[in-house]
Amino acid sequence: MQSITIRRPDDWHLHLRDGAMLEGVIADTSRHFARAIIMPNLVPPVVTTADAKAYRERIVKAVPDDDRFEPLMTLYLTEHTQPDDVEAGKKSGLIHAVKLYPAGATTNSHGGVRDIEKAMPVLERMAKIGLPLCVHGEVTHPEVDIFDREAVFIETVLEPLRRRLPELKITMEHVTTKEGVDYIRSAQSNLAGSITTHHLIINRNAILVGGIKPHYYCLPVAKREHHRLALRAAATSGDPRFFLGTDSAPHVDPAKECSCGCAGIYTSINTLSCLAHVFEDEGALDKLEAFTSLNGPAWYNLPPNEDRVSLVRRDQPLSFPEKIETGDGPVTVFNPMFSLYWDVAIK
Ligand code: NCD
Ligand code: ZN
């Protein structure tokens, strides 16, 4: 197949940051994607509906004039989040999800939840009003190996929470393990998972073999090959419970290339080319649209986009920049370690 036309995609997990970084990265998303679930882990985080409204305005202002892009805002769950504020945010149409970061799990998560008991009133309200909870599904206990943190989270946090509040819709974000995939598949209802582009392409060797490669380091960290294969099978299956959340997470190079580098991989610019390559490899180009453009909106109770994008397979490899320049400094672009041929042609 040389060309495929799909409904315009959405990104169900995206970090846009703020200020000069926001201005530097927004076009790479708005060029291809109609909507994105915007992560609230700014410094300070987006904790109230008022914060989210102000942040949304800054994003909308940064979108290039020719692009139509709708940021779907989220709130950063804390132990002090007010159920009434969350409900007002949903009712106004501004808030599409609330994000649970276990404290210390990832970039800018120190203000996250330590004791889930304290967040129960908000979670109960969300269950009542049908507002999804997005979870960063990793425990942070020092005794748990970093490669096991997702599996332990499922067992010790997610499953008990789902038993206690079965009406709560939960998105398990950036699933990285076979255990995660199997758990989502086994659920009867109210559980779905997003999968990143990079976790379909790299395993942990990318980070650690032949020298330490900070631009392949993200959280949850990439796992063994059999996990990557499970993610590819899930993403390309057409199962409505799996959809794209790129987790494109820009950090300037000096923040990654140092003795304690930040977690995050920047993929917005070449995500669709990478995904078409992966789906073609799996003989599943016919399932690409479900993953990028149909399953996510269905889960978030939104209509799929009406406009279309075409992906065209070129004869020569495409060239993407190695880095993009932002007002905050250079950001290295994800290198999938194979040539990309699928080009995005906007209708
Ligand atoms: C994200 C970031 O940089 O904000 N980093 C990452 O590695 N994915 C945070 C996150 O989603 O965990
Ligand atoms: Zn993220």
Side-chain angles (χ1 to χ4, degrees):
M1 198 187 297
Q2 293 306 305
S3 136
I4 165 177
T5 298
I6 59 174
R7 284 182 190 258
R8 184 184 287 270
D10 302 303
D11 185 349
W12 301 97
H13 180 132
L14 176 67
H15 299 270
L16 286 176
R17 316 303 189 200
D18 213 342
M21 181 62 89
L22 164 64
E23 281 169 22
V25 301
I26 182 77
D28 285 344
T29 289
S30 63
R31 193 178 301 131
H32 296 161
F33 293 88
R35 299 170 290 198
I37 283 269
I38 308 299
M39 285 297 117
N41 63 331
L42 303 183
V43 187
V46 178
V47 292
T48 64
T49 292
D51 295 341
K53 186 165 181 286
Y55 183 32
R56 184 181 188 281
E57 282 163 14
R58 298 198 294 279
I59 295 169
V60 168
K61 213 167 138 196
V63 174
D65 290 343
D66 291 344
D67 291 350
R68 271 171 303 131
F69 174 73
E70 196 190 343
L72 305 173
M73 306 312 290
T74 62
L75 294 175
Y76 181 111
L77 183 63
T78 73
E79 294 176 1
H80 310 286
T81 300
Q82 297 298 315
D84 287 347
D85 183 56
V86 171
E87 181 164 355
K90 172 173 183 342
K91 283 208 169 124
S92 72
L94 179 78
I95 300 301
H96 292 266
V98 173
K99 174 77 187 240
L100 165 67
Y101 287 103
T106 187
T107 311
N108 306 333
S109 64
H110 41 272
V113 174
R114 267 161 232 286
D115 177 5
I116 196 140
E117 208 52 50
K118 299 214 172 91
M120 283 317 287
V122 180
L123 299 178
E124 281 159 9
R125 184 75 66 89
M126 288 166 59
K128 197 168 145 215
I129 64 178
L131 185 64
L133 178 71
C134 291
V135 299
H136 181 109
E138 291 191 289
V139 294
T140 54
H141 319 306
E143 67 277 13
V144 179
D145 188 279
I146 191 154
F147 290 100
D148 298 334
R149 288 179 170 198
E150 185 169 293
V152 174
F153 181 89
I154 293 169
E155 221 177 279
T156 63
V157 183
L158 192 51
E159 174 62 15
L161 176 60
R162 291 186 58 244
R163 278 179 192 271
R164 190 164 165 188
L165 257 185
E167 314 80 36
L168 180 65
K169 268 182 98 156
I170 301 181
T171 313
M172 217 186 134
E173 299 205 282
H174 42 49
V175 181
T176 60
T177 57
K178 179 167 188 313
E179 288 87 341
V181 165
D182 290 347
Y183 184 67
I184 292 166
R185 283 217 176 102
S186 73
Q188 301 299 319
S189 63
N190 286 345
L191 185 66
S194 68
I195 300 178
T196 75
T197 306
H198 50 278
H199 288 116
L200 296 172
I201 295 175
I202 60 165
N203 63 29
R204 62 194 197 176
N205 281 7
I207 313 162
L208 298 169
V209 171
I212 186 146
K213 312 274 176 50
H215 296 293
Y216 292 111
Y217 173 61
C218 66
L219 287 170
V221 70
K223 310 291 192 300
R224 284 176 182 274
E225 178 65 358
H226 79 269
H227 297 292
R228 185 184 75 101
L229 296 178
L231 296 171
R232 279 172 82 109
T236 59
S237 66
D239 184 327
R241 291 171 293 188
F242 297 101
F243 45 80
L244 174 64
T246 65
D247 197 12
S248 185
H251 292 276
V252 292
D253 285 350
K256 290 191 64 74
E257 299 167 2
C258 56
S259 61
C260 184
C262 294
I265 299 182
Y266 186 66
T267 57
S268 290
I269 192 168
N270 59 4
T271 271
L272 292 181
S273 299
C274 288
L275 289 172
H277 185 109
V278 167
F279 278 66
E280 182 185 35
D281 264 6
E282 297 288 329
L285 274 174
D286 61 322
K287 300 290 192 327
L288 181 63
E289 185 179 43
F291 184 67
T292 60
S293 318
L294 298 174
N295 298 348
W299 172 251
Y300 283 100
N301 286 326
L302 293 167
N305 299 308
E306 282 305 329
D307 51 343
R308 306 289 200 273
V309 301
S310 292
L311 288 141
V312 183
R313 198 182 196 293
R314 307 284 181 207
D315 294 333
Q316 299 300 317
L318 307 179
S319 68
F320 286 98
E322 191 190 326
K323 301 169 190 299
I324 59 157
E325 290 301 329
T326 76
D328 280 348
V331 173
T332 291
V333 169
F334 174 62
N335 173 359
M337 296 178 280
F338 47 70
S339 297
L340 292 168
Y341 293 89
W342 287 93
D343 199 4
V344 186
I346 306 293
K347 284 254 156 166

PDB file of all heavy atoms in Angstrom, residues 258-289:
ATOM      1  N   CYS A 258      23.237  14.881  31.184  1.00  0.00           N
ATOM      2  CA  CYS A 258      23.967  15.299  32.390  1.00  0.00           C
ATOM      3  C   CYS A 258      23.945  14.148  33.388  1.00  0.00           C
ATOM      4  O   CYS A 258      23.395  13.093  33.099  1.00  0.00           O
ATOM      5  CB  CYS A 258      23.334  16.555  32.980  1.00  0.00           C
ATOM      6  SG  CYS A 258      21.591  16.365  33.352  1.00  0.00           S
ATOM      7  N   SER A 259      24.521  14.360  34.559  1.00  0.00           N
ATOM      8  CA  SER A 259      24.696  13.231  35.483  1.00  0.00           C
ATOM      9  C   SER A 259      23.371  12.764  36.079  1.00  0.00           C
ATOM     10  O   SER A 259      23.282  11.652  36.602  1.00  0.00           O
ATOM     11  CB  SER A 259      25.673  13.600  36.586  1.00  0.00           C
ATOM     12  OG  SER A 259      25.164  14.696  37.301  1.00  0.00           O
ATOM     13  N   CYS A 260      22.340  13.592  36.047  1.00  0.00           N
ATOM     14  CA  CYS A 260      21.009  13.150  36.502  1.00  0.00           C
ATOM     15  C   CYS A 260      19.988  13.676  35.515  1.00  0.00           C
ATOM     16  O   CYS A 260      19.356  14.713  35.727  1.00  0.00           O
ATOM     17  CB  CYS A 260      20.727  13.644  37.916  1.00  0.00           C
ATOM     18  SG  CYS A 260      19.155  13.047  38.560  1.00  0.00           S
ATOM     19  N   GLY A 261      19.861  12.988  34.402  1.00  0.00           N
ATOM     20  CA  GLY A 261      19.062  13.486  33.279  1.00  0.00           C
ATOM     21  C   GLY A 261      17.570  13.282  33.484  1.00  0.00           C
ATOM     22  O   GLY A 261      17.137  12.324  34.125  1.00  0.00           O
ATOM     23  N   CYS A 262      16.788  14.187  32.895  1.00  0.00           N
ATOM     24  CA  CYS A 262      15.327  14.106  32.980  1.00  0.00           C
ATOM     25  C   CYS A 262      14.783  12.964  32.126  1.00  0.00           C
ATOM     26  O   CYS A 262      15.367  12.601  31.105  1.00  0.00           O
ATOM     27  CB  CYS A 262      14.699  15.382  32.455  1.00  0.00           C
ATOM     28  SG  CYS A 262      15.047  16.809  33.451  1.00  0.00           S
ATOM     29  N   ALA A 263      13.612  12.480  32.534  1.00  0.00           N
ATOM     30  CA  ALA A 263      12.894  11.463  31.759  1.00  0.00           C
ATOM     31  C   ALA A 263      11.994  12.149  30.756  1.00  0.00           C
ATOM     32  O   ALA A 263      11.291  13.100  31.097  1.00  0.00           O
ATOM     33  CB  ALA A 263      12.056  10.614  32.706  1.00  0.00           C
ATOM     34  N   GLY A 264      11.967  11.654  29.532  1.00  0.00           N
ATOM     35  CA  GLY A 264      11.048  12.214  28.543  1.00  0.00           C
ATOM     36  C   GLY A 264      11.641  12.096  27.154  1.00  0.00           C
ATOM     37  O   GLY A 264      12.833  12.322  26.963  1.00  0.00           O
ATOM     38  N   ILE A 265      10.806  11.727  26.195  1.00  0.00           N
ATOM     39  CA  ILE A 265      11.233  11.554  24.800  1.00  0.00           C
ATOM     40  C   ILE A 265      10.333  12.426  23.937  1.00  0.00           C
ATOM     41  O   ILE A 265       9.111  12.421  24.102  1.00  0.00           O
ATOM     42  CB  ILE A 265      11.125  10.070  24.376  1.00  0.00           C
ATOM     43  CG1 ILE A 265      12.041   9.210  25.251  1.00  0.00           C
ATOM     44  CG2 ILE A 265      11.463   9.901  22.893  1.00  0.00           C
ATOM     45  CD1 ILE A 265      12.050   7.725  24.891  1.00  0.00           C
ATOM     46  N   TYR A 266      10.957  13.157  23.010  1.00  0.00           N
ATOM     47  CA  TYR A 266      10.199  14.092  22.179  1.00  0.00           C
ATOM     48  C   TYR A 266       9.858  13.459  20.831  1.00  0.00           C
ATOM     49  O   TYR A 266      10.739  13.251  19.988  1.00  0.00           O
ATOM     50  CB  TYR A 266      10.997  15.378  21.958  1.00  0.00           C
ATOM     51  CG  TYR A 266      10.177  16.404  21.217  1.00  0.00           C
ATOM     52  CD1 TYR A 266       9.052  16.960  21.814  1.00  0.00           C
ATOM     53  CD2 TYR A 266      10.493  16.776  19.920  1.00  0.00           C
ATOM     54  CE1 TYR A 266       8.260  17.871  21.137  1.00  0.00           C
ATOM     55  CE2 TYR A 266       9.701  17.696  19.235  1.00  0.00           C
ATOM     56  CZ  TYR A 266       8.586  18.232  19.852  1.00  0.00           C
ATOM     57  OH  TYR A 266       7.802  19.127  19.187  1.00  0.00           O
ATOM     58  N   THR A 267       8.581  13.154  20.618  1.00  0.00           N
ATOM     59  CA  THR A 267       8.174  12.414  19.417  1.00  0.00           C
ATOM     60  C   THR A 267       7.114  13.111  18.574  1.00  0.00           C
ATOM     61  O   THR A 267       6.729  12.570  17.535  1.00  0.00           O
ATOM     62  CB  THR A 267       7.581  11.028  19.799  1.00  0.00           C
ATOM     63  OG1 THR A 267       6.475  11.249  20.689  1.00  0.00           O
ATOM     64  CG2 THR A 267       8.588  10.128  20.444  1.00  0.00           C
ATOM     65  N   SER A 268       6.633  14.266  18.996  1.00  0.00           N
ATOM     66  CA  SER A 268       5.484  14.858  18.284  1.00  0.00           C
ATOM     67  C   SER A 268       5.752  14.996  16.791  1.00  0.00           C
ATOM     68  O   SER A 268       4.880  14.744  15.965  1.00  0.00           O
ATOM     69  CB  SER A 268       5.150  16.244  18.842  1.00  0.00           C
ATOM     70  OG  SER A 268       4.622  16.119  20.122  1.00  0.00           O
ATOM     71  N   ILE A 269       6.954  15.390  16.445  1.00  0.00           N
ATOM     72  CA  ILE A 269       7.248  15.771  15.061  1.00  0.00           C
ATOM     73  C   ILE A 269       7.220  14.571  14.101  1.00  0.00           C
ATOM     74  O   ILE A 269       6.847  14.721  12.937  1.00  0.00           O
ATOM     75  CB  ILE A 269       8.596  16.535  15.005  1.00  0.00           C
ATOM     76  CG1 ILE A 269       8.806  17.210  13.656  1.00  0.00           C
ATOM     77  CG2 ILE A 269       9.767  15.644  15.341  1.00  0.00           C
ATOM     78  CD1 ILE A 269       9.969  18.203  13.646  1.00  0.00           C
ATOM     79  N   ASN A 270       7.608  13.396  14.576  1.00  0.00           N
ATOM     80  CA  ASN A 270       7.667  12.242  13.658  1.00  0.00           C
ATOM     81  C   ASN A 270       6.800  11.063  14.089  1.00  0.00           C
ATOM     82  O   ASN A 270       6.911   9.963  13.550  1.00  0.00           O
ATOM     83  CB  ASN A 270       9.127  11.791  13.445  1.00  0.00           C
ATOM     84  CG  ASN A 270       9.811  11.389  14.739  1.00  0.00           C
ATOM     85  OD1 ASN A 270       9.180  11.365  15.791  1.00  0.00           O
ATOM     86  ND2 ASN A 270      11.095  11.078  14.662  1.00  0.00           N
ATOM     87  N   THR A 271       5.904  11.310  15.038  1.00  0.00           N
ATOM     88  CA  THR A 271       5.080  10.219  15.573  1.00  0.00           C
ATOM     89  C   THR A 271       4.277   9.503  14.491  1.00  0.00           C
ATOM     90  O   THR A 271       4.254   8.272  14.437  1.00  0.00           O
ATOM     91  CB  THR A 271       4.158  10.741  16.692  1.00  0.00           C
ATOM     92  OG1 THR A 271       4.856  10.645  17.930  1.00  0.00           O
ATOM     93  CG2 THR A 271       2.885   9.931  16.818  1.00  0.00           C
ATOM     94  N   LEU A 272       3.597  10.245  13.632  1.00  0.00           N
ATOM     95  CA  LEU A 272       2.717   9.563  12.665  1.00  0.00           C
ATOM     96  C   LEU A 272       3.535   8.764  11.658  1.00  0.00           C
ATOM     97  O   LEU A 272       3.127   7.658  11.252  1.00  0.00           O
ATOM     98  CB  LEU A 272       1.789  10.557  11.969  1.00  0.00           C
ATOM     99  CG  LEU A 272       0.727  11.188  12.881  1.00  0.00           C
ATOM    100  CD1 LEU A 272      -0.155  12.135  12.083  1.00  0.00           C
ATOM    101  CD2 LEU A 272      -0.130  10.120  13.565  1.00  0.00           C
ATOM    102  N   SER A 273       4.688   9.267  11.271  1.00  0.00           N
ATOM    103  CA  SER A 273       5.561   8.509  10.364  1.00  0.00           C
ATOM    104  C   SER A 273       6.051   7.228  11.036  1.00  0.00           C
ATOM    105  O   SER A 273       6.098   6.164  10.418  1.00  0.00           O
ATOM    106  CB  SER A 273       6.757   9.367   9.944  1.00  0.00           C
ATOM    107  OG  SER A 273       6.312  10.510   9.260  1.00  0.00           O
ATOM    108  N   CYS A 274       6.404   7.353  12.311  1.00  0.00           N
ATOM    109  CA  CYS A 274       6.848   6.166  13.067  1.00  0.00           C
ATOM    110  C   CYS A 274       5.717   5.141  13.180  1.00  0.00           C
ATOM    111  O   CYS A 274       5.928   3.936  12.994  1.00  0.00           O
ATOM    112  CB  CYS A 274       7.292   6.554  14.474  1.00  0.00           C
ATOM    113  SG  CYS A 274       8.848   7.439  14.575  1.00  0.00           S
ATOM    114  N   LEU A 275       4.516   5.627  13.493  1.00  0.00           N
ATOM    115  CA  LEU A 275       3.401   4.697  13.707  1.00  0.00           C
ATOM    116  C   LEU A 275       3.019   3.972  12.417  1.00  0.00           C
ATOM    117  O   LEU A 275       2.756   2.762  12.432  1.00  0.00           O
ATOM    118  CB  LEU A 275       2.185   5.435  14.264  1.00  0.00           C
ATOM    119  CG  LEU A 275       2.322   5.906  15.711  1.00  0.00           C
ATOM    120  CD1 LEU A 275       1.139   6.786  16.094  1.00  0.00           C
ATOM    121  CD2 LEU A 275       2.449   4.721  16.671  1.00  0.00           C
ATOM    122  N   ALA A 276       3.006   4.715  11.302  1.00  0.00           N
ATOM    123  CA  ALA A 276       2.665   4.059  10.035  1.00  0.00           C
ATOM    124  C   ALA A 276       3.680   2.960   9.735  1.00  0.00           C
ATOM    125  O   ALA A 276       3.324   1.866   9.279  1.00  0.00           O
ATOM    126  CB  ALA A 276       2.612   5.085   8.906  1.00  0.00           C
ATOM    127  N   HIS A 277       4.943   3.231  10.048  1.00  0.00           N
ATOM    128  CA  HIS A 277       6.002   2.238   9.845  1.00  0.00           C
ATOM    129  C   HIS A 277       5.740   0.982  10.704  1.00  0.00           C
ATOM    130  O   HIS A 277       5.792  -0.148  10.210  1.00  0.00           O
ATOM    131  CB  HIS A 277       7.349   2.878  10.206  1.00  0.00           C
ATOM    132  CG  HIS A 277       8.532   2.025   9.933  1.00  0.00           C
ATOM    133  ND1 HIS A 277       9.421   2.289   8.917  1.00  0.00           N
ATOM    134  CD2 HIS A 277       8.986   0.886  10.528  1.00  0.00           C
ATOM    135  CE1 HIS A 277      10.359   1.362   8.911  1.00  0.00           C
ATOM    136  NE2 HIS A 277      10.115   0.495   9.874  1.00  0.00           N
ATOM    137  N   VAL A 278       5.432   1.213  11.962  1.00  0.00           N
ATOM    138  CA  VAL A 278       5.169   0.094  12.884  1.00  0.00           C
ATOM    139  C   VAL A 278       3.957  -0.721  12.417  1.00  0.00           C
ATOM    140  O   VAL A 278       3.998  -1.960  12.356  1.00  0.00           O
ATOM    141  CB  VAL A 278       4.927   0.618  14.323  1.00  0.00           C
ATOM    142  CG1 VAL A 278       4.335  -0.457  15.228  1.00  0.00           C
ATOM    143  CG2 VAL A 278       6.216   1.175  14.916  1.00  0.00           C
ATOM    144  N   PHE A 279       2.879  -0.030  12.074  1.00  0.00           N
ATOM    145  CA  PHE A 279       1.657  -0.737  11.660  1.00  0.00           C
ATOM    146  C   PHE A 279       1.884  -1.463  10.337  1.00  0.00           C
ATOM    147  O   PHE A 279       1.366  -2.568  10.138  1.00  0.00           O
ATOM    148  CB  PHE A 279       0.459   0.218  11.597  1.00  0.00           C
ATOM    149  CG  PHE A 279      -0.178   0.461  12.941  1.00  0.00           C
ATOM    150  CD1 PHE A 279       0.509   1.121  13.951  1.00  0.00           C
ATOM    151  CD2 PHE A 279      -1.472   0.016  13.216  1.00  0.00           C
ATOM    152  CE1 PHE A 279      -0.066   1.328  15.210  1.00  0.00           C
ATOM    153  CE2 PHE A 279      -2.061   0.218  14.467  1.00  0.00           C
ATOM    154  CZ  PHE A 279      -1.362   0.876  15.455  1.00  0.00           C
ATOM    155  N   GLU A 280       2.666  -0.879   9.455  1.00  0.00           N
ATOM    156  CA  GLU A 280       2.983  -1.569   8.196  1.00  0.00           C
ATOM    157  C   GLU A 280       3.786  -2.840   8.480  1.00  0.00           C
ATOM    158  O   GLU A 280       3.486  -3.912   7.957  1.00  0.00           O
ATOM    159  CB  GLU A 280       3.780  -0.640   7.274  1.00  0.00           C
ATOM    160  CG  GLU A 280       4.110  -1.286   5.927  1.00  0.00           C
ATOM    161  CD  GLU A 280       4.995  -0.399   5.059  1.00  0.00           C
ATOM    162  OE1 GLU A 280       5.874   0.315   5.582  1.00  0.00           O
ATOM    163  OE2 GLU A 280       4.805  -0.451   3.832  1.00  0.00           O
ATOM    164  N   ASP A 281       4.798  -2.699   9.347  1.00  0.00           N
ATOM    165  CA  ASP A 281       5.612  -3.861   9.757  1.00  0.00           C
ATOM    166  C   ASP A 281       4.755  -4.997  10.288  1.00  0.00           C
ATOM    167  O   ASP A 281       5.056  -6.169  10.107  1.00  0.00           O
ATOM    168  CB  ASP A 281       6.512  -3.464  10.936  1.00  0.00           C
ATOM    169  CG  ASP A 281       7.896  -3.077  10.503  1.00  0.00           C
ATOM    170  OD1 ASP A 281       8.139  -3.010   9.292  1.00  0.00           O
ATOM    171  OD2 ASP A 281       8.719  -2.835  11.408  1.00  0.00           O
ATOM    172  N   GLU A 282       3.707  -4.628  11.009  1.00  0.00           N
ATOM    173  CA  GLU A 282       2.845  -5.630  11.632  1.00  0.00           C
ATOM    174  C   GLU A 282       1.732  -6.084  10.684  1.00  0.00           C
ATOM    175  O   GLU A 282       0.851  -6.846  11.094  1.00  0.00           O
ATOM    176  CB  GLU A 282       2.209  -5.069  12.916  1.00  0.00           C
ATOM    177  CG  GLU A 282       3.203  -4.708  14.002  1.00  0.00           C
ATOM    178  CD  GLU A 282       3.833  -5.923  14.685  1.00  0.00           C
ATOM    179  OE1 GLU A 282       3.166  -6.967  14.790  1.00  0.00           O
ATOM    180  OE2 GLU A 282       5.006  -5.820  15.089  1.00  0.00           O
ATOM    181  N   GLY A 283       1.750  -5.585   9.458  1.00  0.00           N
ATOM    182  CA  GLY A 283       0.691  -5.937   8.501  1.00  0.00           C
ATOM    183  C   GLY A 283      -0.664  -5.431   8.968  1.00  0.00           C
ATOM    184  O   GLY A 283      -1.694  -6.090   8.762  1.00  0.00           O
ATOM    185  N   ALA A 284      -0.670  -4.275   9.625  1.00  0.00           N
ATOM    186  CA  ALA A 284      -1.912  -3.812  10.266  1.00  0.00           C
ATOM    187  C   ALA A 284      -2.220  -2.351   9.942  1.00  0.00           C
ATOM    188  O   ALA A 284      -2.827  -1.656  10.760  1.00  0.00           O
ATOM    189  CB  ALA A 284      -1.810  -4.008  11.777  1.00  0.00           C
ATOM    190  N   LEU A 285      -1.839  -1.896   8.762  1.00  0.00           N
ATOM    191  CA  LEU A 285      -2.155  -0.501   8.417  1.00  0.00           C
ATOM    192  C   LEU A 285      -3.649  -0.224   8.500  1.00  0.00           C
ATOM    193  O   LEU A 285      -4.068   0.901   8.788  1.00  0.00           O
ATOM    194  CB  LEU A 285      -1.631  -0.176   7.012  1.00  0.00           C
ATOM    195  CG  LEU A 285      -0.174   0.286   6.933  1.00  0.00           C
ATOM    196  CD1 LEU A 285       0.257   0.418   5.476  1.00  0.00           C
ATOM    197  CD2 LEU A 285       0.052   1.592   7.678  1.00  0.00           C
ATOM    198  N   ASP A 286      -4.451  -1.249   8.280  1.00  0.00           N
ATOM    199  CA  ASP A 286      -5.914  -1.062   8.366  1.00  0.00           C
ATOM    200  C   ASP A 286      -6.379  -0.809   9.800  1.00  0.00           C
ATOM    201  O   ASP A 286      -7.526  -0.420  10.009  1.00  0.00           O
ATOM    202  CB  ASP A 286      -6.637  -2.283   7.764  1.00  0.00           C
ATOM    203  CG  ASP A 286      -6.299  -3.558   8.510  1.00  0.00           C
ATOM    204  OD1 ASP A 286      -5.126  -3.736   8.941  1.00  0.00           O
ATOM    205  OD2 ASP A 286      -7.199  -4.393   8.706  1.00  0.00           O
ATOM    206  N   LYS A 287      -5.505  -1.013  10.790  1.00  0.00           N
ATOM    207  CA  LYS A 287      -5.881  -0.768  12.188  1.00  0.00           C
ATOM    208  C   LYS A 287      -5.324   0.564  12.719  1.00  0.00           C
ATOM    209  O   LYS A 287      -5.588   0.943  13.855  1.00  0.00           O
ATOM    210  CB  LYS A 287      -5.359  -1.907  13.083  1.00  0.00           C
ATOM    211  CG  LYS A 287      -5.878  -3.293  12.728  1.00  0.00           C
ATOM    212  CD  LYS A 287      -7.346  -3.386  13.070  1.00  0.00           C
ATOM    213  CE  LYS A 287      -7.952  -4.777  13.035  1.00  0.00           C
ATOM    214  NZ  LYS A 287      -7.444  -5.717  12.088  1.00  0.00           N
ATOM    215  N   LEU A 288      -4.559   1.238  11.885  1.00  0.00           N
ATOM    216  CA  LEU A 288      -3.926   2.483  12.348  1.00  0.00           C
ATOM    217  C   LEU A 288      -4.963   3.529  12.769  1.00  0.00           C
ATOM    218  O   LEU A 288      -4.833   4.170  13.809  1.00  0.00           O
ATOM    219  CB  LEU A 288      -3.021   3.042  11.236  1.00  0.00           C
ATOM    220  CG  LEU A 288      -2.260   4.324  11.572  1.00  0.00           C
ATOM    221  CD1 LEU A 288      -1.278   4.096  12.714  1.00  0.00           C
ATOM    222  CD2 LEU A 288      -1.504   4.840  10.331  1.00  0.00           C
ATOM    223  N   GLU A 289      -6.003   3.677  11.971  1.00  0.00           N
ATOM    224  CA  GLU A 289      -7.005   4.709  12.255  1.00  0.00           C
ATOM    225  C   GLU A 289      -7.706   4.454  13.596  1.00  0.00           C
ATOM    226  O   GLU A 289      -7.992   5.394  14.342  1.00  0.00           O
ATOM    227  CB  GLU A 289      -8.034   4.768  11.129  1.00  0.00           C
ATOM    228  CG  GLU A 289      -9.034   5.891  11.313  1.00  0.00           C
ATOM    229  CD  GLU A 289     -10.056   5.960  10.181  1.00  0.00           C
ATOM    230  OE1 GLU A 289     -10.556   4.877   9.766  1.00  0.00           O
ATOM    231  OE2 GLU A 289     -10.349   7.059   9.711  1.00  0.00           O
TER     232      GLU A 289
END
